Amino acid sequence: MTLTPRFPRFLHGGDYNPDQWLKDPEILEEDIRLMKEAKVNCVSLGIFAWAQLEPEEGVYDFAWMDRVIGRLWEAGIRVDLATPSGARPAWLAQKYPEVLRVDEYFRRHHFGGRHNHCPSSPVFREKVRAIDTALAQRYAGHPAVILWHISNEFSGDCRCPLCQEKWRQFLRDRYGSLEALNDHWWTGFWSMRYTDWAQVESPSPIGQDANPAMWVDWRRFSTKQCGDFILMEKEALRSVDPSVPVTVNMMQRFWDYDYFDLAETVDVVSWDSYPLWGTDDLRAASEHAMTHDLMRSLKDRPFLLMESTPSLVNWHQVNKIKRPGMHLLSSMLPLAHGAQSVMYFQWRKGRGGAEMFHGAVVGHDGTDRTRTFRGVCEVGEALQKLAPLYDRPEREAKVCILFDYPNWWALDYAQMGRKGAMHYDETVNAYYRAFWEQGYAVDFRDSRRFDPESGYGIVVAPMLFMLRDGIEEKLRAFVRRGGTLVMTYCGGVISEDGLAFTGQVPHALTDVLGIRTEELDALCDGEANRMTWDGNTYALTELCELIHADTAEVLSAYEDDYTAGTPCLTRHAYGEGTAYYLAAQAEETFLHAFFRRLAEEKAIPRALDADLPKGVVAQKRGNAVFVQNYGGAAQEIALPGRFTDLLTGAAFDGKASVPARGVLVLTGNDD
Ligand code: GLA
Ligand code: ZN
């Protein structure tokens, strides 16, 4: 399937800001010449161009954009056209201060920066709708325009009086009455009971700051505010021409909004990926591979890599340039996971502004004689060679990890265990990494979207603290029909509305798991307990739960401290399937060995039927296997048969050498 029907190819290009260079018209021609050299076929245009497009209120200047799009089209370069709402012109903020955001201290911000509007402001909405409509009327029918890029990296929230009113309305819709709100937020505690809707304000460090259920609702509200704003922009574009798909560029796993919900507002999922290469590259790759799989999972479809850096960024603590090989390797990672593009921030480096030293395809020297430019050309060529894989994104994952935003928020707001260090995201990444490093494809689902009948062999539910409505029945059905479920510590403690379950924990799953949990102990950094499984001893850190194995078989017990001898890892047969419970955070080598065992029991195939050396990973897309070496030395690998590398044409029989920071895209000679 294609995400961009007007141009069904791998997209190669990036953020392009000719609006910053209007005083130097030759730059446009030079850019187009260089783009063709680098095999760039698509640029994201106008992302922050509002001040150029509407220099005065109601006065539009499209002449420069007409020229740019026209010249790009003549050169065969497509356009991902942005709405400019990511940053507003000064005149707008000056005349209508209500468009500016109010922060958690109830301070109205001043003009400046970006991504800081009020999503409720009727004036802001009207102005955005007007310019979006004008853009759509002018360009939606242009053959160069293949995609709408709504705004840029939505983030944060506003607490102005208009947003407070929306918040109260959101709560009215959710709870029906103040009485019900009081019950769900347990406001009997600390005399927090509300007697008038007007008393209800957003959470704030100088106000209501400590109620977890309220905070989780605030995140739900924030997600809704952002989604409503996206829908408003989408509607403005669609009312002119519904044929061009719409995307927003997302950011990693981004905690502020529920990306599963937000993805429903757009046609195409895209995201901006900026790994810090040059320290632990395998770890960085696993973190970004996880997000690629999350992005693919949001709609169960391919996704776009909307931004990445061709060299370095300027906002990491330490900004490293890419080592030889890393640009091609890191550009192949999203493709291995289903991306239909490799796009960059940014095409040409500006001479000033906050990002004047951020990496770009074309630097201040303005030439093609750089390592970065040559690296980009290499990716452009690779994308052409990989064209046969374009509409072959199937991954057929047999492993599903539950990754649930309300659960994440609830754990972080719960005020228990390890303050500010519950590490849900890191834990999910560790579980993912155990599968990913061994070549097992993984889907992500949240509790709401998980379907017990989608054919998964293994479902892992790490730290599933909040049991959203329906998930217990779904997990039960999954195990009953033969699935393997792995639940872990902190599981099944609170309900979707944030209240602790009364009775045994994990609520309504105790009979499936054959255990019940009693206490949660938190360990300081550097402290550890131990357990032994299958002949090896593993460290247990951070969170250790005391559990009772009522009917489950104890596979492993704690070995240290007064908990020695009490269960830590259990197995329970239920229906046709098996449910495991892991009561503590176990080190990564355990997760590798344990998940490998479960996957073998379920006969789940790996991308490549071969054991690869540490640092080398394989992922399958269609009939091709992307073998990636994140290590600093070449590695010999064994291959199960004869293969050809799509990138170089090299043929391999039974073995291959993968260069340091190198990548092979192998197809079997029988395919
Ligand atoms: C984000 C933004 C871009 C730019 C890059 C820099 O992804 O969307 O506008 O600021 O970061 O890395
Ligand atoms: Zn507001």
Side-chain angles (χ1 to χ4, degrees):
M1 77 127 335
T2 174
L3 300 174
T4 47
R6 281 189 182 175
F7 191 59
R9 311 263 175 84
F10 283 126
L11 307 180
H12 186 224
D15 283 26
Y16 183 43
N17 299 105
D19 39 309
Q20 292 172 19
W21 297 91
L22 294 178
K23 292 193 172 145
D24 197 347
E26 280 164 22
I27 290 279
L28 174 63
E29 294 310 315
E30 183 59 4
D31 279 335
I32 287 175
R33 187 184 74 75
L34 291 167
M35 283 177 192
K36 290 177 81 171
E37 187 181 336
K39 300 199 164 47
V40 160
N41 58 15
C42 179
V43 293
S44 301
L45 191 67
I47 293 179
F48 295 115
W50 196 341
Q52 286 296 347
L53 290 169
E54 191 179 359
E56 285 173 52
E57 185 169 10
V59 178
Y60 296 126
D61 175 7
F62 291 123
W64 65 271
M65 193 173 254
D66 290 350
R67 196 164 53 246
V68 171
I69 295 184
R71 286 294 297 121
L72 289 166
W73 172 242
E74 281 163 20
I77 298 164
R78 281 13 183 225
V79 173
D80 161 32
L81 189 55
T83 69
S85 59
R88 76 202 68 72
W91 59 258
L92 181 63
Q94 183 182 33
K95 182 160 177 200
Y96 308 103
E98 71 162 64
V99 304
L100 299 166
R101 186 169 289 184
V102 169
D103 70 14
E104 67 271 38
Y105 295 97
F106 308 109
R107 293 178 304 208
R108 172 91 56 190
H109 283 200
H110 290 222
F111 171 69
R114 58 175 181 170
H115 307 157
N116 51 7
H117 62 271
C118 164
S120 305
S121 156
V123 173
F124 191 60
R125 286 175 161 247
E126 182 199 315
K127 297 294 170 194
V128 169
R129 201 179 292 117
I131 194 155
D132 287 5
T133 306
L135 277 168
Q137 283 166 344
R138 200 157 185 107
Y139 300 114
H142 197 294
V145 176
I146 62 166
L147 184 66
W148 286 111
H149 182 295
I150 290 189
S151 199
N152 193 66
E153 292 194 338
F154 281 101
S155 64
D157 37 48
C158 173
R159 302 168 198 236
C160 75
L162 295 163
C163 289
Q164 299 289 353
E165 206 33 65
K166 289 236 173 133
W167 166 232
R168 287 187 278 270
Q169 191 54 51
F170 170 84
L171 296 171
R172 274 200 195 92
D173 294 345
R174 187 171 174 84
Y175 294 113
S177 69
L178 204 51
E179 174 79 12
L181 176 85
N182 278 308
D183 290 347
H184 282 94
W185 285 3
W186 205 253
T187 55
F189 181 76
W190 285 354
S191 226
M192 292 295 131
R193 194 170 178 76
Y194 297 104
T195 54
D196 181 345
W197 277 105
Q199 297 158 357
V200 180
E201 268 188 343
S202 57
S204 157
I206 55 167
Q208 192 68 270
D209 193 27
N211 186 327
M214 178 189 196
W215 266 116
V216 171
D217 276 341
W218 178 256
R219 296 260 67 81
R220 292 180 173 122
F221 169 70
S222 267
T223 302
K224 182 171 185 305
Q225 285 281 84
C226 181
D228 285 352
F229 196 86
I230 294 170
L231 288 173
M232 180 275 291
E233 290 212 57
K234 182 174 166 187
E235 177 50 33
L237 302 168
R238 285 300 179 81
S239 61
V240 178
D241 180 349
S243 69
V244 182
V246 162
T247 193
V248 294
N249 51 337
M250 296 178 161
M251 295 169 280
Q252 194 70 1
R253 268 93 74 182
F254 199 59
W255 181 86
D256 292 28
Y257 303 144
D258 185 332
Y259 270 177
F260 280 98
D261 285 350
L262 221 52
E264 289 187 356
T265 65
V266 293
D267 305 310
V268 171
V269 168
S270 68
W271 82 287
D272 305 340
S273 170
Y274 291 100
L276 171 62
W277 299 119
T279 54
D280 184 347
D281 287 344
L282 186 64
R283 182 167 295 273
S286 85
E287 280 166 7
H288 286 253
M290 173 175 161
T291 314
H292 293 316
D293 275 334
L294 174 67
M295 294 292 151
R296 184 182 50 75
S297 296
L298 292 179
K299 281 190 178 293
D300 212 5
R301 292 227 209 122
F303 60 93
L304 296 178
L305 176 71
M306 187 56 82
E307 293 179 25
S308 61
T309 179
S311 54
L312 44 52
V313 301
N314 66 339
W315 49 266
H316 284 148
Q317 206 55 41
V318 175
N319 297 293
K320 287 178 173 288
I321 55 177
K322 287 185 186 174
R323 290 168 167 263
M326 192 41 105
H327 185 58
L328 180 65
L329 174 60
S330 61
S331 298
M332 294 298 108
L333 177 63
L335 291 192
H337 289 268
Q340 289 191 345
S341 64
V342 176
M343 306 277 281
Y344 310 114
F345 180 87
Q346 51 190 331
W347 169 257
R348 181 183 282 270
K349 222 178 252 199
R351 294 188 60 198
E355 291 174 335
M356 61 194 284
F357 298 115
H358 189 290
V361 181
V362 180
H364 292 141
D365 66 303
T367 76
D368 56 2
R369 294 190 301 271
T370 61
R371 206 169 66 93
T372 298
F373 194 89
R374 284 197 301 277
V376 167
C377 292
E378 196 184 3
V379 170
E381 277 155 30
L383 288 172
Q384 293 189 339
K385 291 181 186 148
L386 298 181
L389 299 181
Y390 176 73
D391 56 0
R392 300 290 307 272
E394 319 89 63
R395 304 230 333 132
E396 289 165 15
K398 293 286 173 214
V399 176
C400 175
I401 299 182
L402 293 189
F403 181 69
D404 191 274
Y405 278 84
N407 182 62
W408 189 4
W409 302 328
L411 273 167
D412 282 355
Y413 286 130
Q415 299 160 58
M416 61 175 228
R418 290 166 48 95
K419 197 172 175 187
M422 293 298 283
H423 294 156
Y424 175 65
D425 182 55
E426 293 82 347
T427 303
V428 175
N429 185 236
Y431 287 46
Y432 171 81
R433 182 181 161 119
F435 288 108
W436 176 79
E437 277 194 27
Q438 301 184 83
Y440 295 108
V442 174
D443 279 348
F444 289 99
R445 293 289 182 269
D446 70 355
S447 293
R448 183 168 303 160
R449 282 131 184 122
F450 171 65
D451 173 1
E453 293 183 48
S454 8
Y456 297 119
I458 299 174
V459 171
V460 186
M463 301 175 81
L464 196 62
F465 179 62
M466 171 188 279
L467 295 179
R468 292 172 72 182
D469 297 346
I471 188 63
E472 289 154 288
E473 292 73 26
K474 288 194 277 189
L475 292 176
R476 176 183 295 276
F478 171 72
V479 182
R480 193 194 305 117
R481 290 187 205 134
T484 295
L485 170 69
V486 181
M487 276 191 75
T488 78
Y489 55 96
C490 296
V493 179
I494 65 167
S495 62
E496 178 151 11
D497 59 12
L499 293 172
F501 289 120
T502 53
Q504 292 182 354
V505 169
H507 181 255
L509 288 169
T510 47
D511 64 318
V512 177
L513 293 155
I515 62 119
R516 83 202 130 83
T517 69
E518 189 175 318
E519 287 179 278
L520 175 71
D521 195 19
L523 277 53
C524 300
D525 289 347
E527 283 183 339
N529 205 317
R530 286 177 303 157
M531 72 170 181
T532 299
W533 179 77
D534 198 29
N536 291 307
T537 300
Y538 299 99
L540 306 168
T541 54
E542 299 207 345
L543 295 163
C544 296
E545 217 167 40
L546 299 191
I547 67 170
H548 301 274
D550 290 336
T551 49
E553 176 190 352
V554 177
L555 300 182
S556 189
Y558 291 108
E559 290 177 11
D560 293 334
D561 207 352
Y562 69 96
T563 55
T566 69
C568 184
L569 176 67
T570 62
R571 174 169 60 195
H572 188 238
Y574 180 81
E576 308 280 299
T578 313
Y580 293 85
Y581 196 82
L582 173 62
Q585 168 163 296
E587 67 179 291
E588 288 184 5
T589 47
F590 167 76
L591 299 175
H592 281 234
F594 181 61
F595 289 144
R596 174 70 175 265
R597 172 74 58 82
L598 299 190
E600 281 173 355
E601 279 169 13
K602 302 298 284 184
I604 295 177
R606 291 183 287 169
L608 201 60
D609 191 14
D611 283 327
L612 300 171
K614 184 82 182 165
V616 180
V617 293
Q619 299 297 326
K620 200 161 183 194
R621 172 175 180 151
N623 64 341
V625 181
F626 286 69
V627 182
Q628 305 148 67
N629 179 3
Y630 289 96
Q635 295 278 8
E636 304 300 315
I637 61 167
L639 290 175
R642 289 150 54 88
F643 293 86
T644 302
D645 179 6
L646 284 177
L647 294 176
T648 60
F652 301 104
D653 189 358
K655 62 180 167 53
S657 175
V658 197
R661 292 179 292 277
V663 53
L664 312 176
V665 184
L666 300 177
T667 51
N669 286 1
D670 307 328
D671 289 334

